[in-house]
Amino acid sequence: MRCSLLLLLVSSLLFAPVLQAESKGWQLFKQSQLAVQTNNFDASYVVIKGEQITSFRWLHGLHEQQQLEQLVPMDVDGIDILRKGKIVYYLTPEKPALITLSSYIKELPSLLYLPIEDLRELYDPVSGSVSQMGGRSAQLLRLSAFHPGRLSYWLWLDIETGFPLRIDTVAEGHQVLERWLVTHLHISPELPASLQALLELPLPTPDHRQLQPRGSAPLASDIQLAWLPSGFKMIEDPLVVPSLGVPLLHYWLLTDGLHQVSVFVQQPNQQPPQAYRDGATTIYVHSTDQFDVTVIGPVTLEIARQIANAVRYD
Amino acid sequence: MSSKQQHCQSAGQTPQSNSAEPTVESSLDWLSAAIDEQGVSSQQLDRLLQDEQLQQHYERYHLIGAAIRQELPKQIQLDFSAQFAASLQQEAVHQLQPHGSILQRVGARFKAAANSEWFKPTAQTAIAASVALMAVVGVQHYQQPYEQELMSPLPVLQTQPVAGFATPVSLSQTTVDNRLEQHAHQAMLEQQRRLQELLNAHHQQVRVLEQAALLNEQPQPAVDAEPNGNN
């Protein structure tokens, strides 16, 4: 009895600091999620992928307990992405608007909107040093993936407000694949003027029929995906099976809650294996005599290759 | 040449020719001297301020001097203030409407909201040029044995045609080699187009990922309250 009590005491003394550190890490992360979801702010940021840089204007506010958000890509003319509560509007010049239901704008870092309970399954938070970023003190928080095939994230959070100032998507070996960097931030007690103007706009509520899942095109039932990466599951019924120039034999959408991976199976094109990268997104093409498999998503090349190799005829 | 001489000659009047009006000319000598900054008495200044004709002379002498020194603009506005007032009266009235441009810009685009269009291949190409925020420009390309992958950095491939890359080759210059090159280039462009389409489709799936779950949260159908009445 004494021995077991002693063992319990020793183990609690050993693990308490670890649990405290983890708790502090998630606490910091929670602050950053709250900062982007509860503040009125007008911000600008850039996304850096290799030598390619794209810039965005990002406005957010709360009005009568409802979130209002506007995201404007600055490098293309006439694009607006708006969010009012859980309705997102994609507006392009001279094109029909796309209206979807979503709790956040999917072009923003998903990390900032996912429940921490889900992220706990995937990441270990480790707080790092404090550094200066754009004249503000920023706390480094590393979300290190438990599984080596999953991408990790390094976040620099404004100490005063918790607002994320920089997010690096990092592969194994600390290779930065993509950088999200705030270049301007103005947090104010009032709703940004531009969003105030949007309140005056009678945004349409989407037609329920318009949002209903449509009947999918028939897919080959004898093609199977025999393997899934750790933590991923298959979304059984994607809303829309993509309609493509080269018809699909089969399609799967995989998710671990944070990342989504598409698996396209098409008629064979007899191409050698190819891989591309668009920031953190890997595009891997694998061709066999029977079909082409293209895997697209924020996974490592090795994971994409394993997914592609796991597609086979029954 | 003194400025008085300049003024007179410029006006087509030599000193001799002015002899017909000695009184007037002599009465203007002091004015010309004043323009040459040679001083003016208080009586002369009072006279200038009161005599409108003298003021016109004074202005004309200045103008002549400026013309000789080539200081005049190409078009002389002799009565600038009157012309400006007339132009202003003709100008359309502009009133800045706060945020009006945003409302007009965004509001007009709801008129043709139609989600189904976004899932057609042609529409997705349009999105690639607009909303596809992660366009495949300058992606890195991998096409080498797996063993080499970790040993060397991934080469870069432009997945959109680079200006000047597809140089036309005249028939007489065409060789087997460059025909093969052209064929390879065409194949590459086709592959890029295909990958771009797949990447767009992937982004589109992510955008509507939550839709089914959120629709289930809303047992009552959302009422279509679109003000324009078409969707």
Side-chain angles (χ1 to χ4, degrees), chain B residues 13-120:
Chain B
Q13 298 170 331
T14 61
Q16 289 77 13
S17 66
N18 288 341
S19 60
E21 297 175 348
T23 314
V24 175
E25 180 58 27
S26 61
S27 71
L28 296 178
D29 281 351
W30 64 270
L31 190 62
S32 180
I35 290 168
D36 289 339
E37 297 177 356
Q38 290 176 13
V40 61
S41 69
S42 58
Q43 290 86 359
Q44 288 168 334
L45 186 60
D46 287 342
R47 200 178 145 200
L48 176 61
L49 290 172
Q50 290 166 9
D51 190 336
E52 196 177 327
Q53 198 177 359
L54 274 180
Q55 291 169 12
Q56 287 175 0
H57 278 291
Y58 182 80
E59 185 181 347
R60 200 174 304 131
Y61 282 178
H62 264 295
L63 192 63
I64 291 166
I68 290 169
R69 292 189 299 273
Q70 298 184 331
E71 293 171 356
L72 291 178
K74 287 179 181 173
Q75 288 188 336
I76 304 168
Q77 306 272 339
L78 290 177
D79 195 356
F80 173 75
S81 59
Q83 287 191 12
F84 179 75
S87 306
L88 199 61
Q89 214 161 19
Q90 290 172 0
E91 195 67 28
V93 177
H94 298 282
Q95 188 169 359
L96 290 178
Q97 301 286 347
H99 320 303
S101 60
I102 292 176
L103 295 180
Q104 286 167 8
R105 194 159 53 97
V106 172
R109 279 185 268 162
F110 282 121
K111 288 178 183 170
N115 279 8
S116 58
E117 291 296 314
W118 280 65
F119 297 96
K120 292 178 182 173

Side-chain angles (χ1 to χ4, degrees), chain A residues 226-243:
Chain A
W227 178 83
L228 292 178
S230 169
F232 276 81
K233 63 179 183 180
M234 205 178 283
I235 292 180
E236 293 296 336
D237 188 15
L239 280 184
V240 181
V241 172
S243 187

Side-chain angles (χ1 to χ4, degrees), chain A residues 162-232:
Chain A
F163 201 94
L165 299 177
R166 173 176 151 187
I167 302 175
D168 284 1
T169 307
V170 181
E172 265 193 301
H174 297 170
Q175 183 195 1
V176 178
L177 300 178
E178 195 169 311
R179 177 165 296 163
W180 181 93
L181 182 67
V182 169
T183 52
H184 162 258
L185 172 64
H186 177 66
I187 297 177
S188 61
E190 302 85 23
L191 199 65
S194 189
L195 292 182
Q196 190 74 42
L198 284 175
L199 280 177
E200 299 165 26
L201 185 71
L203 292 169
T205 305
D207 184 343
H208 195 262
R209 291 161 301 175
Q210 186 184 16
L211 298 174
Q212 279 286 357
R214 297 182 309 161
S216 304
L219 297 171
S221 57
D222 51 352
I223 300 178
Q224 302 294 325
L225 181 60
W227 178 83
L228 292 178
S230 169
F232 276 81

Side-chain angles (χ1 to χ4, degrees), chain A residues 83-94:
Chain A
R83 179 166 73 91
K84 192 173 184 182
K86 290 184 177 178
I87 305 175
V88 179
Y89 306 83
Y90 290 86
L91 309 166
T92 62
E94 299 169 10

Side-chain angles (χ1 to χ4, degrees), chain A residues 3-184:
Chain A
C3 277
S4 47
L5 275 174
L6 192 64
L7 198 64
L8 190 66
L9 184 64
V10 169
S11 60
S12 63
L13 284 173
L14 279 174
F15 291 111
V18 177
L19 291 172
Q20 273 181 359
E22 192 202 46
S23 169
K24 188 194 168 196
W26 286 123
Q27 210 175 337
L28 276 172
F29 186 72
K30 184 69 184 169
Q31 278 178 12
S32 72
Q33 287 196 327
L34 285 174
V36 298
Q37 292 177 44
T38 60
N39 280 314
N40 296 316
F41 62 82
D42 181 345
S44 299
Y45 69 85
V46 293
V47 178
I48 305 167
K49 301 172 179 177
E51 294 178 356
Q52 185 193 350
I53 300 176
T54 43
S55 53
F56 300 85
R57 176 103 182 267
W58 179 25
L59 300 113
H60 178 273
L62 278 179
H63 178 73
E64 295 176 352
Q65 302 301 314
Q66 190 176 48
Q67 290 188 57
L68 289 170
E69 203 160 38
Q70 184 180 16
L71 184 66
V72 185
M74 304 304 288
D75 303 309
V76 280
D77 193 28
I79 310 295
D80 281 283
I81 305 172
L82 311 175
R83 179 166 73 91
K84 192 173 184 182
K86 290 184 177 178
I87 305 175
V88 179
Y89 306 83
Y90 290 86
L91 309 166
T92 62
E94 299 169 10
K95 296 286 171 194
L98 170 71
I99 307 176
T100 69
L101 297 183
S102 183
S103 53
Y104 64 96
I105 294 175
K106 291 292 192 288
E107 280 70 16
L108 291 167
S110 301
L111 203 60
L112 301 173
Y113 301 93
L114 249 69
I116 286 184
E117 296 71 43
D118 294 352
L119 293 171
R120 276 182 199 274
E121 304 292 319
L122 308 174
Y123 291 101
D124 179 26
V126 182
S127 54
S129 58
V130 174
S131 56
Q132 286 295 306
M133 194 164 285
R136 304 183 76 97
S137 296
Q139 167 75 56
L140 170 63
L141 176 67
R142 280 175 295 194
L143 295 187
S144 303
F146 291 130
H147 192 274
R150 183 169 282 107
L151 302 176
S152 294
Y153 296 93
W154 290 24
L155 300 93
W156 281 262
L157 310 174
D158 181 31
I159 284 187
E160 194 181 327
T161 61
F163 201 94
L165 299 177
R166 173 176 151 187
I167 302 175
D168 284 1
T169 307
V170 181
E172 265 193 301
H174 297 170
Q175 183 195 1
V176 178
L177 300 178
E178 195 169 311
R179 177 165 296 163
W180 181 93
L181 182 67
V182 169
T183 52
H184 162 258

